[in-house]
Amino acid sequence: MINWPWPRAINPHFEDVKTEVDASFRDFTALGPESQEAFDKCDFARLAALAYPNAPRDHLRIGCELMNVYFIVDEYTDIENAAVTKEMVDIVLDALHDPHKTRPEGECILGEIVRRFWARAIQTASSSSQRHFLDSYTAYLRAVVVEARDREHSHCRSIDDYLKLRRDTCGAKSAFAIYEMGMEFPDEVFYHPIIAELVQCIVELILIDNDMASYNREQSTGDENHNLITAIMLELGLDRSGAMAWAARYHTEVEKRFIDGLAQVPSLRTSCTDVLVKYFDGIATWARANHCWSYEGQRYFGTKGTEIQRSRLVPLLPKVNCSNASSAARVNVADLSNIDAAVHRE
């Protein structure tokens, strides 16, 4: 991301909103004490504040809650088979489509978490942003079920096949809806091929950066099959470093495709030009935010993110046995003691 034109920025409401959202999330008791502690270290509110630096306070809060929704759904589903994952996905979809309905007693907590998030979001979200969020978030949830099926059968995809699925499982498209909350974005413009291609470019930048950053943790816990680096290694016969270099080159190609594509937007001659300018500035900022958060939070590199970002050397974590992971969710923060010790030795 060294040549990416959009700089790091953070929302001035970050600290206040983080305090509110973190406290509200703990009230759900969705995680055990150890998992909650690890979850807190990930600092998902920081990701939202970096991704939506210019959002008004109420929209930033929705963005922060959305980050928690993404990651708690991920933590609950990524240890389950396809059948259980689909049950959870159906609960989430039901909550989204009827956010005013009281959730059944004894139901998985995901239903209530998502219901409260969406009930708050629709109070200030434009109709087009609601529609686009539901479309893209539903695609994300459906893809999560496919991912669970792949995991169940230890299936590794080709690069192209993986990217097709990962564009949805990374969840980025629905996160972009936060930029739309205060604007009306007509479908004929939103789904125009030129617009869709530019959105896909940013989605790919995010998933490439995420897979590169998360690979070490995932190979350690045995979850590396759903990762671009693994797909590259298997299809092209490269080692880890070679696969990382391939991913970085592809990242550069996608960056250029986005910059070049922006030049085509004026040719659309749409009345939504101002909306498009704000929207693309927003999603381009998301790519920068994702990259920064990967090193500023502790999800992937413990407390040594800035050192690893500077040295570009990642100490390989040892394999760990996650067979006893609880269905009450485990938070995959890197083994902090191992990675911190390894970086210190470097």
Side-chain angles (χ1 to χ4, degrees), residues 233-256:
M233 289 169 65
L234 290 175
E235 182 172 333
L236 303 181
L238 299 173
D239 61 11
R240 290 186 182 94
S241 293
M244 289 283 179
W246 190 98
R249 288 193 298 272
Y250 181 59
H251 191 286
T252 300
E253 293 173 13
V254 177
E255 287 181 58
K256 184 178 186 303

mmCIF file of all heavy atoms in Angstrom, residues 233-256:
data_model
loop_
_atom_site.group_PDB
_atom_site.id
_atom_site.type_symbol
_atom_site.label_atom_id
_atom_site.label_comp_id
_atom_site.label_asym_id
_atom_site.label_seq_id
_atom_site.Cartn_x
_atom_site.Cartn_y
_atom_site.Cartn_z
ATOM 1 N N MET A 233 0.036 -21.121 -3.295
ATOM 2 C CA MET A 233 1.061 -22.138 -3.055
ATOM 3 C C MET A 233 0.691 -23.450 -3.739
ATOM 4 O O MET A 233 1.521 -24.088 -4.403
ATOM 5 C CB MET A 233 1.247 -22.354 -1.549
ATOM 6 C CG MET A 233 1.918 -21.195 -0.835
ATOM 7 S SD MET A 233 1.833 -21.330 0.980
ATOM 8 C CE MET A 233 2.834 -22.805 1.251
ATOM 9 N N LEU A 234 -0.572 -23.849 -3.595
ATOM 10 C CA LEU A 234 -1.005 -25.137 -4.143
ATOM 11 C C LEU A 234 -1.065 -25.112 -5.665
ATOM 12 O O LEU A 234 -0.638 -26.058 -6.330
ATOM 13 C CB LEU A 234 -2.376 -25.509 -3.569
ATOM 14 C CG LEU A 234 -2.385 -25.890 -2.084
ATOM 15 C CD1 LEU A 234 -3.816 -26.112 -1.599
ATOM 16 C CD2 LEU A 234 -1.546 -27.148 -1.847
ATOM 17 N N GLU A 235 -1.608 -24.034 -6.235
ATOM 18 C CA GLU A 235 -1.782 -23.996 -7.690
ATOM 19 C C GLU A 235 -0.472 -23.735 -8.428
ATOM 20 O O GLU A 235 -0.222 -24.336 -9.481
ATOM 21 C CB GLU A 235 -2.805 -22.925 -8.071
ATOM 22 C CG GLU A 235 -3.066 -22.856 -9.576
ATOM 23 C CD GLU A 235 -4.214 -21.937 -9.947
ATOM 24 O OE1 GLU A 235 -5.127 -21.746 -9.113
ATOM 25 O OE2 GLU A 235 -4.203 -21.415 -11.081
ATOM 26 N N LEU A 236 0.373 -22.884 -7.884
ATOM 27 C CA LEU A 236 1.587 -22.476 -8.597
ATOM 28 C C LEU A 236 2.846 -23.155 -8.076
ATOM 29 O O LEU A 236 3.934 -22.947 -8.617
ATOM 30 C CB LEU A 236 1.749 -20.956 -8.521
ATOM 31 C CG LEU A 236 0.573 -20.133 -9.074
ATOM 32 C CD1 LEU A 236 0.859 -18.642 -8.962
ATOM 33 C CD2 LEU A 236 0.271 -20.516 -10.523
ATOM 34 N N GLY A 237 2.706 -23.938 -7.011
ATOM 35 C CA GLY A 237 3.865 -24.656 -6.477
ATOM 36 C C GLY A 237 4.898 -23.755 -5.832
ATOM 37 O O GLY A 237 6.093 -24.080 -5.830
ATOM 38 N N LEU A 238 4.461 -22.641 -5.264
ATOM 39 C CA LEU A 238 5.384 -21.696 -4.640
ATOM 40 C C LEU A 238 5.481 -21.951 -3.138
ATOM 41 O O LEU A 238 4.576 -22.522 -2.532
ATOM 42 C CB LEU A 238 4.902 -20.263 -4.869
ATOM 43 C CG LEU A 238 4.812 -19.805 -6.340
ATOM 44 C CD1 LEU A 238 4.156 -18.440 -6.410
ATOM 45 C CD2 LEU A 238 6.187 -19.776 -6.976
ATOM 46 N N ASP A 239 6.584 -21.508 -2.531
ATOM 47 C CA ASP A 239 6.676 -21.562 -1.079
ATOM 48 C C ASP A 239 5.962 -20.339 -0.515
ATOM 49 O O ASP A 239 5.422 -19.509 -1.255
ATOM 50 C CB ASP A 239 8.130 -21.639 -0.616
ATOM 51 C CG ASP A 239 8.955 -20.418 -1.035
ATOM 52 O OD1 ASP A 239 8.366 -19.418 -1.501
ATOM 53 O OD2 ASP A 239 10.192 -20.476 -0.890
ATOM 54 N N ARG A 240 5.968 -20.187 0.819
ATOM 55 C CA ARG A 240 5.227 -19.088 1.435
ATOM 56 C C ARG A 240 5.693 -17.724 0.936
ATOM 57 O O ARG A 240 4.890 -16.868 0.575
ATOM 58 C CB ARG A 240 5.369 -19.147 2.965
ATOM 59 C CG ARG A 240 4.629 -20.307 3.615
ATOM 60 C CD ARG A 240 4.713 -20.185 5.142
ATOM 61 N NE ARG A 240 4.055 -21.307 5.798
ATOM 62 C CZ ARG A 240 4.685 -22.415 6.195
ATOM 63 N NH1 ARG A 240 5.991 -22.531 5.992
ATOM 64 N NH2 ARG A 240 4.023 -23.392 6.790
ATOM 65 N N SER A 241 7.014 -17.529 0.926
ATOM 66 C CA SER A 241 7.533 -16.232 0.497
ATOM 67 C C SER A 241 7.207 -15.953 -0.965
ATOM 68 O O SER A 241 6.868 -14.826 -1.340
ATOM 69 C CB SER A 241 9.051 -16.168 0.722
ATOM 70 O OG SER A 241 9.341 -16.192 2.102
ATOM 71 N N GLY A 242 7.279 -16.985 -1.788
ATOM 72 C CA GLY A 242 6.943 -16.816 -3.194
ATOM 73 C C GLY A 242 5.474 -16.479 -3.386
ATOM 74 O O GLY A 242 5.111 -15.656 -4.232
ATOM 75 N N ALA A 243 4.629 -17.113 -2.580
ATOM 76 C CA ALA A 243 3.193 -16.837 -2.672
ATOM 77 C C ALA A 243 2.884 -15.421 -2.201
ATOM 78 O O ALA A 243 2.040 -14.728 -2.779
ATOM 79 C CB ALA A 243 2.420 -17.854 -1.833
ATOM 80 N N MET A 244 3.579 -14.967 -1.150
ATOM 81 C CA MET A 244 3.394 -13.598 -0.680
ATOM 82 C C MET A 244 3.802 -12.595 -1.769
ATOM 83 O O MET A 244 3.134 -11.585 -1.999
ATOM 84 C CB MET A 244 4.222 -13.358 0.588
ATOM 85 C CG MET A 244 3.708 -14.067 1.826
ATOM 86 S SD MET A 244 2.267 -13.239 2.525
ATOM 87 C CE MET A 244 1.908 -14.344 3.917
ATOM 88 N N ALA A 245 4.904 -12.878 -2.435
ATOM 89 C CA ALA A 245 5.376 -11.986 -3.507
ATOM 90 C C ALA A 245 4.378 -11.969 -4.664
ATOM 91 O O ALA A 245 4.111 -10.905 -5.252
ATOM 92 C CB ALA A 245 6.751 -12.442 -3.989
ATOM 93 N N TRP A 246 3.819 -13.131 -5.002
ATOM 94 C CA TRP A 246 2.817 -13.211 -6.078
ATOM 95 C C TRP A 246 1.601 -12.370 -5.698
ATOM 96 O O TRP A 246 1.083 -11.605 -6.523
ATOM 97 C CB TRP A 246 2.405 -14.662 -6.295
ATOM 98 C CG TRP A 246 1.579 -14.912 -7.517
ATOM 99 C CD1 TRP A 246 2.005 -15.367 -8.733
ATOM 100 C CD2 TRP A 246 0.143 -14.727 -7.650
ATOM 101 N NE1 TRP A 246 0.954 -15.476 -9.609
ATOM 102 C CE2 TRP A 246 -0.198 -15.084 -8.975
ATOM 103 C CE3 TRP A 246 -0.852 -14.298 -6.796
ATOM 104 C CZ2 TRP A 246 -1.524 -15.035 -9.442
ATOM 105 C CZ3 TRP A 246 -2.172 -14.225 -7.262
ATOM 106 C CH2 TRP A 246 -2.486 -14.592 -8.565
ATOM 107 N N ALA A 247 1.146 -12.514 -4.442
ATOM 108 C CA ALA A 247 -0.012 -11.756 -3.977
ATOM 109 C C ALA A 247 0.264 -10.255 -4.023
ATOM 110 O O ALA A 247 -0.608 -9.463 -4.384
ATOM 111 C CB ALA A 247 -0.390 -12.183 -2.561
ATOM 112 N N ALA A 248 1.483 -9.855 -3.656
ATOM 113 C CA ALA A 248 1.841 -8.437 -3.676
ATOM 114 C C ALA A 248 1.829 -7.885 -5.105
ATOM 115 O O ALA A 248 1.376 -6.758 -5.337
ATOM 116 C CB ALA A 248 3.211 -8.236 -3.041
ATOM 117 N N ARG A 249 2.320 -8.680 -6.050
ATOM 118 C CA ARG A 249 2.286 -8.237 -7.457
ATOM 119 C C ARG A 249 0.850 -8.098 -7.951
ATOM 120 O O ARG A 249 0.512 -7.139 -8.654
ATOM 121 C CB ARG A 249 3.067 -9.216 -8.335
ATOM 122 C CG ARG A 249 4.586 -9.161 -8.158
ATOM 123 C CD ARG A 249 5.304 -9.914 -9.264
ATOM 124 N NE ARG A 249 4.979 -11.329 -9.271
ATOM 125 C CZ ARG A 249 5.625 -12.264 -8.570
ATOM 126 N NH1 ARG A 249 6.650 -11.913 -7.796
ATOM 127 N NH2 ARG A 249 5.280 -13.524 -8.643
ATOM 128 N N TYR A 250 0.034 -9.056 -7.577
ATOM 129 C CA TYR A 250 -1.378 -8.990 -7.987
ATOM 130 C C TYR A 250 -2.046 -7.763 -7.361
ATOM 131 O O TYR A 250 -2.845 -7.074 -8.004
ATOM 132 C CB TYR A 250 -2.100 -10.277 -7.577
ATOM 133 C CG TYR A 250 -3.554 -10.312 -7.979
ATOM 134 C CD1 TYR A 250 -3.926 -10.206 -9.317
ATOM 135 C CD2 TYR A 250 -4.570 -10.438 -7.024
ATOM 136 C CE1 TYR A 250 -5.257 -10.218 -9.700
ATOM 137 C CE2 TYR A 250 -5.898 -10.460 -7.396
ATOM 138 C CZ TYR A 250 -6.243 -10.353 -8.739
ATOM 139 O OH TYR A 250 -7.562 -10.357 -9.102
ATOM 140 N N HIS A 251 -1.705 -7.479 -6.123
ATOM 141 C CA HIS A 251 -2.210 -6.296 -5.431
ATOM 142 C C HIS A 251 -1.882 -5.035 -6.228
ATOM 143 O O HIS A 251 -2.745 -4.158 -6.419
ATOM 144 C CB HIS A 251 -1.569 -6.236 -4.036
ATOM 145 C CG HIS A 251 -2.163 -5.240 -3.099
ATOM 146 N ND1 HIS A 251 -1.954 -3.876 -3.211
ATOM 147 C CD2 HIS A 251 -2.954 -5.396 -1.997
ATOM 148 C CE1 HIS A 251 -2.586 -3.251 -2.234
ATOM 149 N NE2 HIS A 251 -3.196 -4.153 -1.477
ATOM 150 N N THR A 252 -0.663 -4.931 -6.711
ATOM 151 C CA THR A 252 -0.245 -3.773 -7.500
ATOM 152 C C THR A 252 -1.067 -3.653 -8.782
ATOM 153 O O THR A 252 -1.466 -2.552 -9.193
ATOM 154 C CB THR A 252 1.255 -3.878 -7.844
ATOM 155 O OG1 THR A 252 2.018 -3.923 -6.634
ATOM 156 C CG2 THR A 252 1.710 -2.680 -8.663
ATOM 157 N N GLU A 253 -1.332 -4.802 -9.423
ATOM 158 C CA GLU A 253 -2.155 -4.800 -10.638
ATOM 159 C C GLU A 253 -3.563 -4.284 -10.351
ATOM 160 O O GLU A 253 -4.135 -3.512 -11.133
ATOM 161 C CB GLU A 253 -2.237 -6.215 -11.212
ATOM 162 C CG GLU A 253 -0.922 -6.756 -11.748
ATOM 163 C CD GLU A 253 -1.038 -8.224 -12.145
ATOM 164 O OE1 GLU A 253 -2.189 -8.721 -12.222
ATOM 165 O OE2 GLU A 253 0.004 -8.864 -12.357
ATOM 166 N N VAL A 254 -4.127 -4.721 -9.231
ATOM 167 C CA VAL A 254 -5.487 -4.302 -8.880
ATOM 168 C C VAL A 254 -5.521 -2.810 -8.545
ATOM 169 O O VAL A 254 -6.466 -2.109 -8.905
ATOM 170 C CB VAL A 254 -6.025 -5.143 -7.704
ATOM 171 C CG1 VAL A 254 -7.418 -4.661 -7.290
ATOM 172 C CG2 VAL A 254 -6.085 -6.621 -8.081
ATOM 173 N N GLU A 255 -4.496 -2.328 -7.841
ATOM 174 C CA GLU A 255 -4.409 -0.890 -7.556
ATOM 175 C C GLU A 255 -4.481 -0.087 -8.853
ATOM 176 O O GLU A 255 -5.228 0.893 -8.960
ATOM 177 C CB GLU A 255 -3.095 -0.567 -6.849
ATOM 178 C CG GLU A 255 -2.993 -1.016 -5.408
ATOM 179 C CD GLU A 255 -1.653 -0.618 -4.814
ATOM 180 O OE1 GLU A 255 -1.340 0.590 -4.818
ATOM 181 O OE2 GLU A 255 -0.909 -1.506 -4.359
ATOM 182 N N LYS A 256 -3.695 -0.491 -9.843
ATOM 183 C CA LYS A 256 -3.665 0.222 -11.129
ATOM 184 C C LYS A 256 -5.026 0.147 -11.824
ATOM 185 O O LYS A 256 -5.490 1.129 -12.416
ATOM 186 C CB LYS A 256 -2.585 -0.357 -12.032
ATOM 187 C CG LYS A 256 -2.413 0.398 -13.356
ATOM 188 C CD LYS A 256 -1.295 -0.185 -14.192
ATOM 189 C CE LYS A 256 -1.040 0.663 -15.437
ATOM 190 N NZ LYS A 256 -2.258 0.806 -16.280
#
